[in-house]
Amino acid sequence: MEEEYEILENTVRDFNTKYVDNNSLKLENDTMGKDFVKMLAGQGFFSMTSQAEGGAGTDIKALSIVLENLAKSAPAVAVKTLLSNSFSTAVKEQDVLGAVADGSKSGTVTFSDLLVGKGQNGNLVLEKGRVSGEKEFVVGSDSDFIITLVDSGELVLLKSGFKTGKKHKKLGFRSIGFSSIVVDTEDFTILSKDGRKTMERMYEDLSIPVAAISLGMSEGVSQKALDYAKVRTAFGHYLKDFQPLAFDLSSLVAEMEILKRYFRDLLSSSPSQKEAMFLKHKSLTLAKDISRTSLQIHGGYGYLEDFGIEKFYRDSMALSVLFHSEEKDMEKLSGLVFESKAGFV
Amino acid sequence: MDFELNDEAKEAVVKAREFANKYFTEEVAERSDREEQFPTDIVAISKREKILDFSNPWKVLVTIEELVRKDPGLGISVTISAFGAEIFMFFGNDAQKEKYMNPVFAGQKTLGLGVTEAGGGSDVANIKTEAKLDGDSYLLNGGKMFISNGQIADYFLVLARTTQPPSPEKKHRGLSVFIVDSKTPGFSVNKLHGKLGVRATNTAELIFNNVRVPKENMIGEEGKGFYYIMTFFNISRIYVAAQGLGIAHGALDRLVDYSKKYGEVSETGELKESLQLAIAEIATRVEAARNLTYKAASYLFKFTPNPVVTSMSKYYAADTAVFSTRRAMELMSIHGLTTDLERFFRDAKILDIWEGTTEVEKLIITRMMLKEEGA
């Protein structure tokens, strides 16, 4: 890894040690708090893709390294960081970008527009200079700025005049708002006339960052399982001595290490969309598999939140639902693999 | 060979379904889950309406399946109030049955079973709780972990060591089972919070600090406790398999509903094939799990238990529950995440762990098979 990225990785590790590791349950389940968000922003984590003054500019590699390492301790913090950066790629207004970059304001994107069928996540109407209606399934609905699609196809930046509506169940990332938003505003900017296409590009750009979070979660949860299996005994042996447990976990760790190598290789090149989707697809599956096995190794204790395992079980599934659609992603991936439209019947 | 339930069991299914539809509202289920609140009122109603008919184990089995299919947390809470009662049935004396078992079966009292310990888990014989004879009673010291009904049970059946094992390899000897009244001085409880799932159920840590238990509260013979508990697990695992069936079937219900409402269709107007195949796979697994569970139950209910099939049923039904909820979540996307399937997904995972982990079940299957074959 290049030196600057090694330094970045160490920076995130230090940040985790100081501010996240001992606080990860609260950061996951409760609230991040303004001070914590400002600290995150202060590290420059929210502006890695921002073109704003002081922002790092688009650097997916740096962002991915940050996300991977944050996710090892607190996946919700990684997702919060992802949302901010994803938001910043589409916005050009310096005052908005600056406020998100310094953590005084927050931004999100309603990717549910792409993940469910048209009209299944509500309706927003743009008419006579006004956006109104209700949009469902907004991750980060407690944000100050929201990028969303309106029914007539434009991608708009909502700057005020909206509020959270019906709260949704939160399987994962519980400290991040997840609800509908009720909108009635004239305070917005049109970012793109062909909004769906723009949002699809933003979604495609998420592939490696989402894979980074998945891999970070896999690393975090498997490390907990490895540590536990070395000290916990049953039937007169350490858990690590039992074949089923050792073989299962070792096999998954092998898969993880191969994916990490692939991840690093992609980061040091210019990955194709196909390669990025390969990584995302396999990393999300791994995170779910390795979380299940790691929880199983912890037995009943894994089922309790205090042990910091069950959150990975929830978050790995939440990530694969909120930033991925099996049907749509696989159709896309099949098209790339077959080099023509495939997997649609 | 008859794969049909008899009429009584079919009626129990209908009764359970009506009960669940009436009382397991999403509001109650969601609140119980969020607040980790045992549904005391619903459990009381279920007892009044005799939702569980302990005179017919088939009815109990299908009732568990059907209630859990509607909501796992509430379904298990309603059907677990007699947890451990079979130990009385098979090994208790008449006086114990009269005093403790009958009120439990009548719905007047709640029972809990204290086996697992903080350092024990699957290694049941390694428990540290001790019972020392002191005059006409035993003094219990130690603790139990992850105990269902821990805070609400009137009585517990507690496994404790009464004599030291003859050798480390024979730790299963010298263990005995005692009836402990929850009002006994020295007994205390800590409710466990922050469970991933089945949050409506009441789970606690039990602490015994010089708890005095009358001699007559020992079940069966001294030193046979491990055998009694293992015998019980060979019964209870079938009911856990029924929980797994209920969860898996519930996930299938929700996926089918989703498919009808939101499932993408191809040019031919049919559901896209990946979704069709996923539904078929889950449905097949549910049916296979059901056949295994009912087969295990048919052996048991004829008093010829088959531990191999029992462990197969528990392992497979638990795995099917986890598999089905995960696949349904993946396929239903945000529609799964924002509905009660999210709860099913969290609830399912405990089945891999309690009443014998999946790994332990697999070991039992092979060891018993080899033993039967004389290998």
Side-chain angles (χ1 to χ4, degrees):
Chain A
M1 200 191 306
E2 294 159 45
E3 194 182 344
E4 62 181 299
Y5 292 118
E6 272 186 35
I7 293 170
L8 181 61
E9 193 167 62
N10 288 332
T11 302
V12 187
R13 281 183 187 156
D14 288 347
F15 184 83
N16 280 345
T17 306
K18 278 185 190 162
Y19 304 113
V20 179
D21 290 345
N22 294 328
N23 206 18
S24 60
L25 196 58
K26 183 169 175 281
L27 293 170
E28 165 69 29
N29 283 349
D30 192 359
T31 174
M32 288 187 201
K34 285 189 176 175
D35 290 345
F36 179 80
V37 170
K38 284 231 167 192
M39 274 197 294
L40 266 176
Q43 299 288 326
F45 294 162
F46 283 178
S47 54
M48 310 195 77
T49 57
S50 170
Q51 304 303 321
E53 208 173 315
T58 303
D59 187 346
I60 293 296
K61 182 172 183 178
L63 173 63
S64 298
I65 287 168
V66 168
L67 295 176
E68 180 196 4
N69 285 284
L70 287 175
K72 286 179 192 174
S73 295
V77 176
V79 166
K80 173 82 178 166
T81 306
L82 174 69
L83 289 172
S84 294
N85 280 279
S86 185
F87 173 87
S88 299
T89 56
V91 177
K92 291 197 171 57
E93 292 171 51
Q94 292 297 317
D95 55 334
V96 173
L97 282 176
V100 172
D102 71 18
S104 57
K105 303 271 184 180
S106 54
T108 193
V109 185
T110 62
F111 287 113
S112 62
D113 287 324
L114 305 178
L115 298 173
V116 297
K118 212 170 179 182
Q120 289 176 18
N121 64 333
N123 297 93
L124 286 183
V125 177
L126 169 57
E127 206 171 44
K128 295 177 184 169
R130 202 170 189 85
V131 176
S132 57
E134 186 163 6
K135 176 76 49 99
E136 290 281 355
F137 314 139
V138 181
V139 184
S141 56
D142 47 354
S143 299
D144 301 288
F145 305 114
I146 295 181
I147 294 176
T148 190
L149 277 178
V150 294
D151 291 359
S152 46
E154 295 89 344
L155 189 69
V156 300
L157 167 63
L158 305 175
K159 291 186 270 191
S160 66
F162 59 87
K163 59 182 181 183
T164 55
K166 181 187 159 201
K167 289 184 179 169
H168 296 307
K169 296 174 194 299
K170 287 184 184 175
L171 177 64
F173 319 123
R174 288 174 172 162
S175 55
I176 297 174
F178 183 38
S179 69
S180 67
I181 51 166
V182 181
V183 183
D184 187 16
T185 184
E186 294 176 341
D187 187 12
F188 66 92
T189 307
I190 295 177
L191 300 176
S192 165
K193 290 276 183 194
D194 193 355
R196 181 164 286 270
K197 208 169 199 173
T198 306
M199 191 183 264
E200 278 173 357
R201 269 201 306 274
M202 294 166 72
Y203 179 74
E204 282 164 15
D205 288 344
L206 288 182
S207 294
I208 291 183
V210 167
I213 296 176
S214 304
L215 284 173
M217 286 164 62
S218 297
E219 291 172 64
V221 75
S222 62
Q223 190 58 53
K224 281 179 178 286
L226 290 167
D227 293 344
Y228 189 73
K230 286 178 195 167
V231 296
R232 171 78 182 198
T233 57
F235 304 102
H237 290 275
Y238 290 111
L239 293 185
K240 72 175 180 60
D241 298 341
F242 293 98
Q243 280 193 341
L245 185 157
F247 290 5
D248 280 356
L249 191 57
S250 299
S251 173
L252 288 163
V253 168
E255 199 179 322
M256 181 180 79
E257 291 300 328
I258 290 166
L259 280 172
K260 274 172 65 183
R261 176 66 66 91
Y262 186 59
F263 171 58
R264 298 269 189 259
D265 286 351
L266 291 189
L267 289 183
S268 59
S269 61
S270 299
S272 67
Q273 189 189 352
K274 184 169 71 176
E275 290 169 324
M277 289 195 74
F278 282 160
L279 180 68
K280 180 186 175 189
H281 173 60
K282 299 307 286 184
S283 301
L284 283 169
T285 303
L286 173 71
K288 287 178 279 189
D289 291 344
I290 210 163
S291 297
R292 178 182 178 179
T293 298
S294 298
L295 197 160
Q296 187 69 9
I297 285 169
H298 282 77
Y301 290 108
Y303 212 67
L304 299 177
E305 66 181 15
D306 286 347
F307 278 71
I309 297 294
E310 59 88 38
K311 76 177 181 203
F312 288 102
Y313 189 73
R314 293 186 284 106
D315 286 345
S316 58
M317 176 55 78
L319 189 73
S320 81
V321 170
L322 295 172
F323 296 96
H324 171 261
S325 156
E326 174 158 321
E327 175 112 8
K328 292 176 187 2
D329 279 38
M330 286 310 292
E331 279 190 21
K332 184 86 180 174
L333 186 58
S334 300
L336 292 166
V337 168
F338 283 93
E339 297 176 344
S340 63
K341 192 178 176 190
F344 57 90
V345 175
Chain B
M1 193 176 291
D2 184 355
F3 287 100
E4 284 294 307
L5 292 172
N6 64 29
D7 288 346
E8 273 192 312
K10 284 179 184 169
E11 284 166 16
V13 172
V14 172
K15 188 175 177 183
R17 189 174 301 155
E18 288 171 354
F19 180 85
N21 285 338
K22 185 172 179 184
Y23 295 106
F24 292 6
T25 62
E26 177 54 18
E27 187 193 349
V28 171
E30 193 276 332
R31 189 176 61 239
S32 299
D33 177 74
R34 178 169 30 87
E35 296 177 358
E36 298 188 81
Q37 193 63 48
F38 185 78
T40 309
D41 294 350
I42 295 177
V43 172
I45 297 167
S46 76
K47 287 177 175 176
R48 212 161 50 233
E49 295 191 8
K50 300 198 184 307
I51 290 300
L52 280 177
D53 178 357
F54 291 105
S55 69
N56 182 335
W58 278 109
K59 291 171 76 173
V60 173
L61 187 84
V62 298
T63 298
I64 292 171
E65 183 184 340
E66 196 61 27
L67 293 179
V68 171
R69 180 180 169 188
K70 179 74 176 176
D71 184 77
L74 297 178
I76 293 170
S77 296
V78 163
T79 54
I80 204 173
S81 57
F83 187 63
E86 289 86 351
I87 293 172
F88 283 123
M89 201 186 292
F90 290 106
F91 307 111
N93 58 37
D94 288 346
Q96 290 167 343
K97 288 177 187 173
E98 176 69 25
K99 186 173 178 184
Y100 298 105
M101 183 183 80
N102 291 347
V104 167
F105 282 149
Q108 296 154 353
K109 297 288 181 185
T110 298
L111 188 63
L113 179 67
V115 176
T116 304
E117 296 190 357
S122 299
D123 193 358
V124 172
N126 197 33
I127 63 162
K128 306 296 182 204
T129 298
E130 286 186 331
K132 284 191 176 163
L133 192 58
D134 182 45
D136 282 343
S137 56
Y138 283 87
L139 278 179
L140 255 68
N141 282 288
K144 298 290 175 183
M145 197 62 173
F146 307 123
I147 305 304
S148 296
N149 295 336
Q151 227 184 6
I152 56 174
D154 299 285
Y155 317 116
F156 293 91
L157 289 165
V158 177
L159 185 69
R161 182 162 292 289
T162 43
T163 56
Q164 291 307 307
S167 67
E169 294 76 34
K170 292 178 178 170
K171 283 185 300 189
H172 58 284
R173 295 192 187 170
L175 301 171
S176 305
V177 176
F178 296 91
I179 306 159
V180 178
D181 190 315
S182 64
K183 294 185 187 71
T184 314
F187 175 80
S188 58
V189 175
N190 287 326
K191 186 182 177 184
L192 297 178
H193 294 278
K195 288 183 292 182
L196 170 64
V198 289
R199 289 160 63 92
T201 63
N202 185 280
T203 312
E205 176 186 17
L206 312 183
I207 298 161
F208 307 96
N209 184 13
N210 282 327
V211 174
R212 191 168 287 281
V213 179
K215 246 174 153 179
E216 61 266 26
N217 278 22
M218 181 186 282
I219 296 279
E221 294 176 45
E222 186 186 340
K224 293 275 181 72
F226 185 82
Y227 164 71
Y228 299 157
I229 295 297
M230 291 303 124
T231 302
F232 169 71
F233 281 159
N234 271 322
I235 298 167
S236 66
R237 280 170 183 155
I238 292 170
Y239 295 117
V240 174
Q243 295 169 359
L245 269 177
I247 292 179
H249 202 165
L252 178 63
D253 292 338
R254 283 147 183 82
L255 182 58
V256 169
D257 287 348
Y258 161 82
S259 303
K260 289 177 185 166
K261 200 170 174 188
Y262 299 117
E264 285 197 37
V265 293
S266 64
E267 290 155 359
T268 61
E270 287 189 280
L271 278 179
K272 288 195 173 176
E273 288 194 352
S274 65
L275 185 53
Q276 287 192 51
L277 265 58
I279 291 171
E281 186 173 6
I282 294 173
T284 304
R285 275 175 166 253
V286 169
E287 197 57 33
R290 180 173 291 115
N291 284 340
L292 261 178
T293 304
Y294 287 10
K295 184 173 181 179
S298 70
Y299 281 126
L300 176 69
F301 299 160
K302 284 186 237 167
F303 299 102
T304 55
N306 184 328
V308 171
V309 181
T310 298
S311 286
M312 285 176 173
S313 70
K314 194 272 177 182
Y315 140 56
Y316 191 73
D319 191 62
T320 298
V322 174
F323 171 85
S324 304
T325 52
R326 171 171 163 169
R327 285 302 289 139
M329 283 287 285
E330 289 167 342
L331 291 157
M332 287 168 63
S333 180
I334 294 178
H335 292 295
L337 199 70
T338 51
T339 60
D340 63 357
L341 180 66
E342 177 267 344
R343 211 164 46 238
F344 276 67
F345 172 74
R346 288 185 285 108
D347 291 341
K349 186 68 192 81
I350 195 61
L351 302 185
D352 260 346
I353 298 169
W354 68 15
E355 300 295 287
T357 64
T358 295
E359 292 76 15
V360 164
E361 300 304 337
K362 288 178 182 175
L363 291 173
I364 291 171
I365 292 165
T366 305
R367 287 173 188 171
M368 296 296 287
M369 280 172 61
L370 295 178
K371 200 170 159 187
E372 283 172 11
E373 289 170 8

